[in-house]
Amino acid sequence: QQPAQFTNPETPGYVGFANLPNQVHRKSVKKGFEFTLMVVGESGLGKSTLINSLFLTDLYPERIIPGAAEKIERTVQIEASTVEIEERGVKLRLTVVDTPGYGDAINCRDCFKTIISYIDEQFERYLHDESGLNRRHIIDNRVHCCFYFISPFGHGLKPLDVEFMKAVHNKVNIVPVIAKADTLSLKERERLKKRILDEIEEHGIKIYHLPDAESDEDEDFKEQTRLLKASIPFCVVGSNQLIEAKGKKVRGRLYPWGVVEVENPEHNDFLKLRTMLITHMQDLQEVTQDLHYENFRSERLKRGGR
Amino acid sequence: PHAGSVESKNEAAMSELVPEPRQKPVVPMKPMGINASLLGYIGIDTIIEQMRKKTMKTGFDFNIMVVGQSGLGKSTLVNTLFKSQVSRKSSGWNREEKIPKTVEIKAIGHVIEEGGVKMKLTVIDTPGFGDQINNENCWEPIEKYINEQYEKFLKEEVNIARKKRIPDTRVHCCLYFISPTGHSLRPLDLEFMKHLSKVVNIIPVIAKADTMTLEEKTEFKQRVRKELEVNGIEFYPQKEFDEDLEDKTENDKIRQESMPFAVVGSDKEYQVNGKRVLGRKTPWGIIEVENLTHCEFALLRDFVIRTHLQDLKEVTHNIHYETYRAKRLNDNGGLPPMTVETEENHESNL
């Protein structure tokens, strides 16, 4: 296989270390990837459905949705599910961390403490493993990305949204997502997006910033990056159902007045969200490692000992 | 006041036993391959392309050490390997220079680029090795140098405010030059490789192979391989680090047939059959360095650079460096190394 990759190995002056990326490639394919995605938002905003749609899986097959009375007593839970996805020989071990109960209580004052503890625990565990004697098989359970679901029914961010994001923006990459986008017209969406962006800036909330495309990338990629950046926060619709539309089977929601197609870019930003996640998976991991984790680590070490 | 060494060791063992904090049983895995193709394409394989692009942009470090008696062609070989003037010989070294009285370590760095990939290559030469009358323990300065690089890396790693990309000066590969006597390895060769194969990747090469006929070469290689085996010297690629069957098959062939590579180096070009080739001109013919029927230079080059470059770095980082680190931590009672209190490094992980 390898000789095919060399650009004329007999060219005088050709050493061959330009083949290094292929060597790294081969090892990465063998190893596969790990990624942890946290989803946070009130009940009923379509989080589970969206996750299933994103990864074409059914992560929550035996779900029982509790009634309101049950929700009163519930505190925020942390539920992590792991699934292995393989595509064209590349393996991804995806962990989705769900946070049922968030925003459900009458008094939500403490509802994000559990979530922050969870994030910190993963950092703590990694720090401990990293400092240990046997480091051959460290598992990285740190949260690489947090999708924060904003309700489309309000006029922008709610106080809880602001407080939560400010509490975690130095610990995790926040990607704000406007859920159930099919309740909004296109104009309403634009207005809501702008409103949310303004509020994010006003409150000094640091959301995840897509890095600009490098100057040597091709035009398509640069254009795609521009488009992604301009669409944040993404307005999405998720669905577990296949509907017949225009002679094809598509993921969508069937209404009397038409079909909302999940993967139609004119209907919602689902494809953009998925593209962003996949093309920036590595960057999300790096920012978690180089920024959030290192911050945690230096704070932790300054506070003293192990 | 820190926990005693016993507690730390327990902690280390525990981190392997304590399960991850999951409160719900893991969802049974479906055959995802089928799902993905039925319902659409997600694009996970593009992550590999992202990583490759990143590798190309950031470039990489590679540190290669050459060890062997003076005059075995070490500098020439390194220049030939990288098709550039990267060795000590090319950086103002004078051929008339006296052999140093002790082993010296000289590291020279270069940045070379090819196909968009940048490599920061450091060639570490060890003049004086094996050249004295009494060569006892002459590998010690070399072992010391190698360990010093591990120590440097470790100190940076445990720092509170550590660099994003820790500069890597660790020796990834040590080419050990065997003199083409045609008889056997010398006691010094055995001693050196016995000591150093435990701390660094050693690749033995038979130097100036143009002094042996094909039969002599084959016999000598067999004898050297036998001697290495009998003396328990694990050269790179080490058997115990083969990751899977694919690796094992590939590496077995290299270990049992090709190595040690019998090489000839040259930085002079000659015209042969209308092509310009690197070679050595003698009255009885031109020895073409990159011709596999003449010598095994091309095999060495392909092995070190084109196929196993990344693996050399990984074995250094995951095995040799970790061994060093574990020993340091153990010596220190399970704690990271104490640093000398100076202005710049008082903020380490103590």
Side-chain angles (χ1 to χ4, degrees):
Chain A
Q1 229 212 26
Q2 264 139 359
Q5 318 265 15
F6 298 161
T7 44
N8 189 5
E10 298 324 314
T11 309
Y14 179 76
V15 175
F17 63 83
N19 197 41
L20 182 82
N22 286 336
Q23 295 176 35
V24 173
H25 172 136
R26 208 165 143 246
K27 283 187 181 269
S28 310
V29 170
K30 273 198 199 170
K31 249 193 347 188
F33 299 92
E34 286 176 322
F35 192 81
T36 301
L37 173 67
M38 178 180 263
V39 286
V40 182
E42 285 173 4
S43 302
L45 282 181
K47 301 188 296 295
S48 314
T49 311
L50 184 72
I51 296 299
N52 285 348
S53 305
L54 266 179
F55 297 101
L56 302 175
T57 69
D58 191 4
L59 220 50
Y60 311 97
E62 296 135 19
R63 228 173 131 217
I64 303 164
I65 298 183
E70 291 162 294
K71 285 187 191 168
I72 289 179
E73 289 309 315
R74 211 158 68 150
T75 52
V76 180
Q77 312 283 312
I78 305 282
E79 289 178 356
S81 321
T82 303
V83 89
E84 273 195 19
I85 306 173
E86 184 171 332
E87 211 172 50
R88 299 191 187 166
V90 181
K91 286 195 251 323
L92 172 67
R93 191 165 165 273
L94 174 74
T95 301
V96 177
V97 180
D98 209 344
T99 53
Y102 175 87
D104 280 348
I106 295 172
N107 182 349
C108 290
R109 206 172 295 275
D110 291 334
C111 81
F112 38 90
K113 285 212 180 113
T114 317
I115 298 174
I116 294 178
S117 297
Y118 179 85
I119 296 174
D120 280 345
E121 266 162 38
Q122 308 317 304
F123 282 153
E124 184 72 45
R125 154 156 294 233
Y126 193 85
L127 179 58
H128 177 266
D129 287 351
E130 199 189 32
S131 315
L133 282 176
N134 186 348
R135 309 199 295 186
R136 289 212 71 176
H137 304 289
I138 297 185
I139 296 177
D140 186 4
N141 280 324
R142 297 173 295 183
V143 181
H144 302 116
C145 180
C146 171
F147 281 178
Y148 188 76
F149 283 68
I150 299 166
S151 172
F153 305 124
H155 292 286
L157 296 178
K158 298 206 188 89
L160 179 62
D161 299 335
V162 175
E163 283 313 299
F164 176 81
M165 286 199 273
K166 277 172 74 170
V168 300
H169 64 174
N170 284 323
K171 293 180 186 290
V172 76
N173 296 315
I174 300 179
V175 174
V177 172
I178 300 170
K180 296 200 165 176
D182 53 343
T183 55
L184 301 167
S185 69
L186 288 180
K187 255 222 190 95
E188 288 164 344
R189 278 187 219 175
E190 289 311 307
R191 248 205 315 262
L192 184 58
K193 280 190 188 186
K194 184 168 186 319
R195 178 80 190 256
I196 290 175
L197 285 175
D198 288 343
E199 287 175 338
I200 283 174
E201 196 179 323
E202 186 190 317
H203 292 280
I205 296 170
K206 296 180 231 172
I207 59 173
Y208 171 70
H209 274 297
L210 268 71
D212 286 319
E214 311 249 341
S215 52
D216 58 349
E217 300 278 7
D218 61 52
E219 272 311 307
D220 284 342
F221 188 81
K222 285 189 196 168
E223 183 54 34
Q224 180 190 81
T225 308
R226 269 194 287 266
L227 213 59
L228 288 179
K229 285 172 90 100
S231 310
I232 292 175
F234 299 115
C235 254
V236 295
V237 174
S239 169
N240 284 334
Q241 292 173 315
L242 289 173
I243 313 275
E244 182 96 27
K246 299 182 213 140
K248 305 188 296 169
K249 275 207 179 295
V250 292
R251 272 190 179 242
R253 291 173 60 70
L254 177 63
Y255 289 109
W257 47 88
V259 174
V260 178
E261 297 164 49
V262 166
E263 292 185 18
N264 186 335
E266 286 171 28
H267 288 193
N268 76 120
D269 295 333
F270 173 84
L271 281 183
K272 292 204 185 77
L273 177 65
R274 182 200 272 172
T275 305
M276 186 226 76
L277 181 63
I278 299 292
T279 55
H280 292 84
M281 213 171 245
Q282 240 230 319
D283 187 62
L284 284 161
Q285 282 181 327
E286 277 186 17
V287 175
T288 305
Q289 163 77 30
D290 297 337
L291 184 66
H292 302 303
Y293 173 70
E294 290 295 320
N295 279 343
F296 174 86
R297 181 179 173 274
S298 40
E299 280 306 299
R300 185 75 179 73
L301 295 179
K302 283 200 192 113
R303 270 189 286 133
R306 299 200 272 136
Chain B
H2 293 280
S5 58
V6 174
E7 216 167 304
S8 303
K9 283 203 176 91
N10 276 346
E11 264 176 77
M14 262 182 68
S15 74
E16 293 179 65
L17 296 174
V18 173
E20 293 131 34
R22 301 211 190 293
Q23 288 165 301
K24 187 169 118 173
V26 172
V27 174
M29 290 185 305
K30 296 182 179 187
M32 292 324 307
I34 299 173
N35 255 344
S37 61
L38 273 184
L39 299 171
Y41 168 70
I42 303 171
I44 293 168
D45 53 338
T46 61
I47 297 177
I48 302 274
E49 192 52 37
Q50 296 164 38
M51 288 191 61
R52 168 211 288 262
K53 272 198 194 143
K54 183 130 233 175
T55 311
M56 285 189 54
K57 286 214 182 89
T58 48
F60 64 103
D61 295 334
F62 191 67
N63 307 319
I64 185 169
M65 178 183 263
V66 286
V67 182
Q69 278 182 310
S70 170
L72 281 181
K74 303 188 294 291
S75 303
T76 309
L77 186 74
V78 172
N79 284 352
T80 318
L81 264 178
F82 295 100
K83 298 221 173 129
S84 320
Q85 303 296 313
V86 289
S87 68
R88 177 180 57 105
K89 175 176 163 184
S90 326
S91 316
W93 176 78
N94 184 351
R95 199 173 264 285
E96 306 304 321
E97 234 170 63
K98 296 215 184 83
I99 290 177
K101 292 252 166 31
T102 54
V103 178
E104 295 180 348
I105 313 280
K106 293 212 166 112
I108 297 165
H110 291 267
V111 175
I112 49 185
E113 182 172 337
E114 185 178 81
V117 180
K118 273 206 201 67
M119 168 156 80
K120 180 166 173 294
L121 173 72
T122 303
V123 179
I124 302 137
D125 208 339
T126 53
F129 176 84
D131 290 331
Q132 316 305 328
I133 295 174
N134 181 357
N135 287 310
E136 267 177 11
N137 301 328
C138 70
W139 57 83
E140 276 174 8
I142 298 174
E143 192 172 353
K144 180 158 169 279
Y145 176 84
I146 291 172
N147 285 332
E148 273 168 6
Q149 308 319 305
Y150 291 148
E151 184 68 28
K152 232 193 253 180
F153 195 88
L154 181 60
K155 285 233 172 68
E156 188 56 43
E157 212 186 18
V158 302
N159 219 330
I160 287 187
R162 57 191 185 185
K163 300 197 179 82
K164 178 168 153 176
R165 265 189 83 209
I166 301 179
D168 192 358
T169 56
R170 300 170 297 185
V171 179
H172 301 123
C173 169
C174 173
L175 293 182
Y176 186 78
F177 285 68
I178 297 167
S179 186
T181 60
H183 293 177
S184 64
L185 288 175
R186 287 156 45 239
L188 178 60
D189 300 335
L190 285 176
E191 279 306 294
F192 177 85
M193 286 194 274
K194 253 201 218 149
H195 281 98
L196 280 269
S197 58
K198 302 198 181 88
V199 297
V200 72
N201 294 323
I202 295 195
I203 296 179
V205 294
I206 299 170
K208 299 204 162 174
D210 52 334
T211 55
M212 295 187 287
T213 64
L214 283 179
E215 294 87 16
E216 287 165 352
K217 211 193 309 187
T218 314
E219 271 177 39
F220 187 48
K221 279 173 70 156
Q222 262 170 11
R223 230 169 303 149
V224 169
R225 271 199 297 268
K226 195 79 204 294
E227 272 188 301
L228 290 173
E229 190 186 333
V230 159
N231 283 279
I233 294 171
E234 278 253 39
F235 52 86
Y236 177 87
Q238 300 90 333
K239 272 193 267 273
E240 50 179 334
F241 307 140
D242 286 336
E243 283 177 354
D244 51 38
L245 190 61
E246 198 189 338
D247 277 353
K248 187 173 181 320
T249 323
E250 190 190 341
N251 289 342
D252 270 345
K253 192 162 183 297
I254 294 172
R255 281 189 288 260
Q256 288 156 18
E257 290 171 25
S258 315
M259 288 180 82
F261 299 110
V263 297
V264 175
S266 169
D267 43 18
K268 294 204 171 62
E269 279 187 348
Y270 295 98
Q271 193 94 298
V272 172
N273 294 337
K275 287 197 309 168
R276 291 204 68 75
V277 293
L278 284 175
R280 284 173 60 69
K281 189 157 186 223
T282 68
W284 45 91
I286 293 181
I287 303 153
E288 297 162 49
V289 165
E290 285 174 297
N291 185 335
L292 279 173
T293 55
H294 289 196
C295 79
E296 293 163 3
F297 168 79
L299 289 183
L300 173 70
R301 180 203 49 210
D302 288 350
F303 179 64
V304 172
I305 298 177
R306 293 183 189 177
T307 58
H308 286 70
L309 193 59
Q310 180 62 16
D311 190 60
L312 280 162
K313 291 178 57 151
E314 287 191 5
V315 172
T316 306
H317 180 65
N318 296 329
I319 313 280
H320 298 301
Y321 170 68
E322 285 298 313
T323 306
Y324 177 84
R325 178 178 173 274
K327 183 167 182 303
R328 282 292 269 124
L329 259 54
N330 264 328
D331 289 346
N332 217 33
L335 302 169
M338 305 284 280
T339 50
V340 174
E341 284 274 337
T342 67
E343 257 305 292
E344 39 173 72
N345 62 13
H346 71 280
E347 286 243 270
S348 72
N349 178 7
L350 283 180

